[in-house]
Amino acid sequence: QSVLTQPPSASGTPGQRVTISCSGSTSNIGSRTVNWYQQVPGTAPKLLIYSNNQRPSGVPDRFSGSKSGTSASLAISGLQSEDEADYYCAAWDDSLNGRVVFGGGTKLTVL
Amino acid sequence: QLQLQESGPGLVKPSETLSLTCTVSGGSISSIKYYWGWIRQPPGEGLEWIGSMSYSGTTYYNPSLKSRVTISVDTSKNQFSLRMSSVTAADTAVYYCATNPCITCGLDLWGQGTTVTVSS
């Protein structure tokens, strides 16, 4: 059971906008910033969003992040076939002397 | 440009110690004020953070693994390492090394990962 909760799957058609939610608690999302990772099957994860809503260089502005209270969201607009991947949220958790916690991951299918 | 590459045995026997190394290229590990960490992913499952070591030598471990894990840095070889003792089949996973500029920051550079199978 993951500390952060994500829906196991999401889907959309090309051009559509999809959102993926990530729910946590006051010891992680509620008091820390959220990071998002994209993992194409068979490859290493890639940092997609950091500090709730910042994009690393090279990440298209179709990807955006937001946070409110103990929840966060990743939005992908103008969905493309290459966006089909697994997406993970993560945050630092202040419980148990501190640790990085991940969501269970959301498999995004582009129909 | 900084790059990371994991290496180590692909097969480890139950109850033995798993040892992996991450070689840093494109920069000196002793001069980069980063955090050096390990993450794993069991087959068909999600990501699990194992732990990290700061540039100043402070270590942070996942409480669920802390009793079995040691992360260390060898500046002479420009490498950092993971040792996990008393492994079981549940430790079978792809192991990634990764870095971030602070312990709460996003992991912005990852190695390609190395598969470790625990089996007799």
Side-chain angles (χ1 to χ4, degrees):
Chain A
Q1 199 79 336
S2 301
V3 174
L4 304 182
T5 301
Q6 297 180 236
S9 63
S11 63
T13 57
Q16 206 171 22
R17 181 177 187 272
V18 297
T19 61
I20 297 172
S21 62
C22 176
S23 177
S25 67
T26 55
S27 66
N28 44 66
I29 294 178
S31 56
R32 296 290 186 175
T33 58
V34 178
N35 306 305
W36 289 90
Y37 300 89
Q38 177 193 57
Q39 186 179 33
V40 174
T43 69
K46 165 190 166 185
L47 182 63
L48 197 64
I49 297 287
Y50 67 95
S51 296
N52 302 328
N53 55 18
Q54 302 299 301
R55 285 186 307 277
S57 175
V59 173
D61 59 6
R62 303 187 293 104
F63 295 90
S64 61
S66 63
K67 188 186 95 166
S68 177
T70 58
S71 295
S73 291
L74 172 71
I76 309 172
S77 60
L79 198 62
Q80 299 181 3
S81 58
E82 66 207 52
D83 299 332
E84 187 160 293
D86 297 319
Y87 292 85
Y88 295 89
C89 59
W92 181 259
D93 186 289
D94 289 312
S95 65
L96 302 176
N97 291 321
R99 53 179 176 161
V100 174
V101 292
F102 285 95
T106 298
K107 182 175 179 58
L108 175 64
T109 301
V110 180
L111 302 170
Chain B
Q1 183 179 0
L2 208 60
Q3 292 184 313
L4 306 177
Q5 177 68 60
E6 306 89 346
S7 59
L11 181 64
V12 182
K13 288 183 169 54
S15 80
E16 294 190 343
T17 295
L18 177 163
S19 294
L20 296 176
T21 296
C22 183
T23 300
V24 180
S25 60
S28 171
I29 199 171
S30 60
S31 62
I32 302 171
K33 293 190 183 322
Y34 259 48
Y35 289 65
W36 311 97
W38 291 92
I39 299 92
R40 70 179 181 180
Q41 184 171 35
E45 298 185 23
L47 302 169
E48 179 181 33
W49 178 74
I50 299 171
S52 296
M53 172 175 268
S54 75
Y55 58 90
S56 61
T58 303
T59 50
Y60 305 81
Y61 295 124
N62 187 327
S64 67
L65 300 170
K66 185 176 182 177
S67 63
R68 301 194 291 128
V69 168
T70 302
I71 294 175
S72 59
V73 170
D74 187 337
T75 55
S76 66
K77 295 182 179 179
N78 224 34
Q79 298 174 334
F80 62 102
S81 300
L82 169 70
R83 285 176 57 85
M84 181 180 292
S85 63
S86 305
V87 297
T88 69
D91 296 311
T92 293
V94 176
Y95 286 75
Y96 297 99
C97 59
T99 69
N100 48 358
C102 71
I103 195 60
T104 62
C105 298
L107 294 150
D108 56 8
L109 181 64
W110 294 66
Q112 66 183 30
T114 188
T115 299
V116 177
T117 301
V118 178
S119 175
S120 56

